[in-house]
Amino acid sequence: MKNCDFDLFVIGAGSGGVRTSRVAADLGARVAIAEERYFGGTCVNVGCVPKKLFSYAGHYADDWEDSRGFGWNPGQPQFDWPSLLANKDKEISRLNGIYRTILESRKIQIFNERARLAGPHAIEIGGERVSARHILLAVGGWPWKNPFPGNELAITSNEIFHLPELPESMLVYGGGYIATEFASILHGLGVDVTLVYRGDKLLRGFDEDIRAFISGEIGKRLRVVFNREIAQIERAGKGNLLVTLSDGERIHAGQVLCATGRKPMTADLGLENTGVKTNANGAIEVDENFETAEPGIFAVGDAINRVTLTPVALAEGQIVARSLFGGQDTRMDYEYIPSAVFCHPNIATVGSTEAQANTTGRPYDVFLAKVRQLKHTLSGRDELSLIKLIVDCETQRVIGLHMAGPDAGEIAQGFAVAMNCGATKADFDRTIGIHPTLAEEFVTMRNRRKEHSSAA
Ligand code: NDP
């Protein structure tokens, strides 16, 4: 093993791959990384970062409208999609450069090519074979379109960031993170959006109160069609698609965005040349050290499909690097991982949903408030915010925190720290609020919705 070309060969320069490479190199490892597409992976190029920039763009429509109640006379707004794309592309190129610099400055060898496993310690790249003591698979995921006639006419989140023109109307298909975020963003940019989802409430897996609330709030802004699927898509002239839903309804749309999930990108990686195993979804199976069934080969991030969020991939990669080259034995803690959905209004969540609390058999209390933000007393906007806490009755620990409202992600991040430290309801209550804010609602919740709820 000492004669290997590298101590660590990383396949994939997305969030997880770059973080692992950087930490490993800082700990003295000889590292190489292979990337066939773009530096920074999905998050930087066709995910979190450009999506958030688009989300800011979408919010201006609301700000414009709301400003009237505050005495502004803002005139007629005009939005220019090519300007947004160009400015976004400039920022993404800057970030691509930063990622490359992070690697180059640590003398990490970069291969701008596709790499395949040729054996337990062997990688095939650019027609050559190199060897490594350890290999990390950080290959990420890719949008998946469910099969139906004409699905090739629909775009995915990969293409939405590069559309040459913004259509007048769009049908967004799905009810998860990407569908709700893009339905909100596109509506904010002036597109006539119809959101079609097979379930009866958006965002399966989130707290049921949040799901019901956000389905209603998004439904105030755009048409949401529940309990329906796309049966087929046909062309209907230039720039026009005809979508038939499962109940026969026909909808014309300039584009269809299919946001029906993502799958790990583990095909054609040469896994068959090793003992690495994948599950039915294509996700790489790993143990608690992120090691695959093949000793010396590790995997993190979307490729293992545990919690497919950038900060989770970063944390997983860091654990791998520190354990391989820093002698640290740390386990990833998947409890109290905060996350946000940047739909309008935003959602943020930390810890258990009520349904999860219900399955534990432990008694819990629910505190819930629907509030009108002070801003909307003058803006006149018909938008409420929802705040919810779930408290374990025995320990009094706050085990679930959920919010739908402006800047929910910004607000929940700090509470996630408190919850990771074991904050109790009494800790929340004795914390002085910042007045007048929406966040202060979390430290002033007095009314239980249910007492000592429990399945058991
Ligand atoms: P999600 O898993 O969030 O949502 C997929 C949606 O597609 C669900 O509503 C699902 O319905 C629906 N769906 C799945 N299969 C079918 C089918 N056969 N027919 C019709 N509908 C179907 O995936 P996304 O693509 O939105 O996002 C992928 C992941 O990326 C997220 O889970 C998240 O981890 C990450 N992400 C995070 C973001 C953030 O942090 N803000 C933003 C964007 C993505 P059902 O619920 O009924 O199964």
Side-chain angles (χ1 to χ4, degrees):
M1 281 305 123
K2 274 197 177 140
N3 297 328
C4 280
D5 299 319
F6 301 102
D7 296 318
L8 176 68
F9 194 102
V10 175
I11 305 183
S15 307
V18 171
R19 173 63 65 87
T20 316
S21 304
R22 171 170 77 72
V23 177
D26 286 345
L27 289 168
R30 293 167 307 145
V31 183
I33 191 163
E35 173 56 61
E36 64 171 338
R37 203 166 285 112
Y38 27 56
F39 284 82
T42 301
C43 170
V44 167
N45 295 279
V46 285
C48 325
V49 175
K51 180 278 310 289
K52 187 80 190 279
L53 294 174
F54 281 13
S55 174
Y56 287 125
H59 270 106
Y60 280 104
D62 281 3
D63 293 343
W64 208 283
E65 228 174 86
D66 292 349
S67 70
R68 290 179 199 280
F70 293 86
W72 291 92
N73 182 2
Q76 195 54 37
Q78 276 185 353
F79 169 67
D80 185 46
W81 172 249
S83 300
L84 174 63
L85 283 199
N87 293 342
K88 179 268 293 178
D89 286 343
K90 203 166 140 205
E91 172 57 12
I92 301 308
S93 318
R94 190 184 72 85
L95 294 174
N96 294 146
I98 288 176
Y99 269 71
R100 195 171 249 285
T101 307
I102 288 172
L103 300 167
E104 286 172 350
S105 63
R106 288 170 173 85
K107 311 258 178 299
I108 293 167
Q109 188 162 341
I110 300 173
F111 293 90
N112 290 297
E113 275 157 297
R114 180 166 184 82
R116 288 180 88 252
L117 296 171
H121 296 278
I123 303 106
E124 212 176 76
I125 183 133
E128 291 186 19
R129 229 174 203 253
V130 296
S131 59
R133 271 171 68 206
H134 306 288
I135 297 172
L136 178 78
L137 304 173
V139 292
W142 199 251
W144 173 81
K145 293 189 220 174
N146 66 308
F148 56 80
N151 82 347
E152 72 283 358
L153 298 173
I155 59 167
T156 69
S157 54
N158 280 350
E159 292 77 49
I160 191 93
F161 293 106
H162 303 286
L163 276 187
E165 281 174 34
L166 195 59
E168 279 179 19
S169 61
M170 256 182 115
L171 188 146
V172 178
Y173 189 35
Y177 277 82
I178 295 177
T180 51
E181 288 183 343
F182 270 99
S184 298
I185 290 168
L186 293 163
H187 169 77
L189 298 180
V191 178
D192 177 9
V193 178
T194 306
L195 178 58
V196 176
Y197 173 48
R198 66 177 174 180
D200 60 357
K201 272 186 247 114
L202 299 170
L203 290 167
R204 190 160 61 83
F206 281 72
D207 188 88
E208 289 297 314
D209 283 308
I210 289 284
R211 294 184 68 197
F213 182 80
I214 202 69
S215 298
E217 285 297 324
I218 291 181
K220 284 180 193 169
R221 293 165 175 260
L222 50 102
R223 181 170 180 229
V224 188
V225 180
F226 289 108
N227 302 310
R228 236 74 66 76
E229 293 179 40
I230 293 185
Q232 68 165 24
I233 308 179
E234 301 158 89
R235 284 193 197 283
K238 197 167 174 282
N240 196 1
L241 298 172
L242 178 61
V243 185
T244 308
L245 302 187
S246 44
D247 65 344
E249 180 180 349
R250 304 177 113 202
I251 300 175
H252 283 274
Q255 290 276 5
V256 176
L257 170 66
C258 198
T260 47
R262 294 173 57 88
K263 289 213 193 261
M265 251 200 301
T266 48
D268 193 29
L269 254 189
L271 300 183
E272 67 285 0
N273 301 321
T274 69
V276 175
K277 292 196 171 32
T278 54
N279 66 19
N281 203 26
I284 297 169
E285 291 180 0
V286 291
D287 64 14
E288 56 184 3
N289 299 313
F290 302 101
E291 193 161 18
T292 66
E294 178 69 58
I297 302 187
F298 296 77
V300 295
D302 287 6
I304 63 171
N305 202 29
R306 282 188 179 168
V307 179
T308 50
L309 300 171
T310 291
V312 173
L314 298 177
E316 292 171 343
Q318 196 153 292
I319 285 175
V320 171
R322 287 185 178 159
S323 102
L324 290 180
F325 305 108
Q328 279 184 24
D329 183 20
T330 317
R331 295 280 174 274
M332 179 75 194
D333 183 358
Y334 290 95
E335 239 190 329
Y336 299 115
I337 291 176
S339 83
V341 187
F342 297 99
C343 49
H344 300 183
N346 292 178
I347 291 173
T349 174
V350 194
S352 296
T353 62
E354 193 173 344
Q356 286 165 339
N358 225 337
T359 59
T360 64
R362 294 173 64 83
Y364 63 87
D365 280 336
V366 172
F367 297 81
L368 185 140
K370 281 185 191 166
V371 288
R372 189 169 194 216
Q373 217 200 340
L374 178 63
K375 180 181 178 186
H376 297 319
T377 57
L378 292 202
S379 77
R381 179 172 296 282
D382 173 24
E383 181 182 295
L384 295 176
S385 299
L386 184 121
I387 310 278
K388 178 170 178 177
L389 290 179
I390 302 169
V391 178
D392 182 288
C393 291
E394 278 168 32
T395 62
Q396 280 301 301
R397 225 182 135 165
V398 178
I399 55 168
L401 179 146
H402 308 277
M403 171 177 177
D407 294 321
E410 304 289 350
I411 293 171
Q413 181 69 79
F415 284 111
V417 176
M419 290 168 69
N420 267 299
C421 294
T424 61
K425 180 68 169 60
D427 292 326
F428 273 55
D429 293 346
R430 69 186 165 80
T431 301
I432 305 293
I434 300 173
H435 187 69
T437 62
L438 192 55
E440 72 177 319
E441 298 292 332
F442 278 119
V443 297
T444 56
M445 300 189 89
R446 301 283 175 261
N447 299 324
R448 283 180 183 80
R449 189 182 65 180
K450 279 187 203 167
E451 278 194 50
H452 305 289
S453 314
S454 166

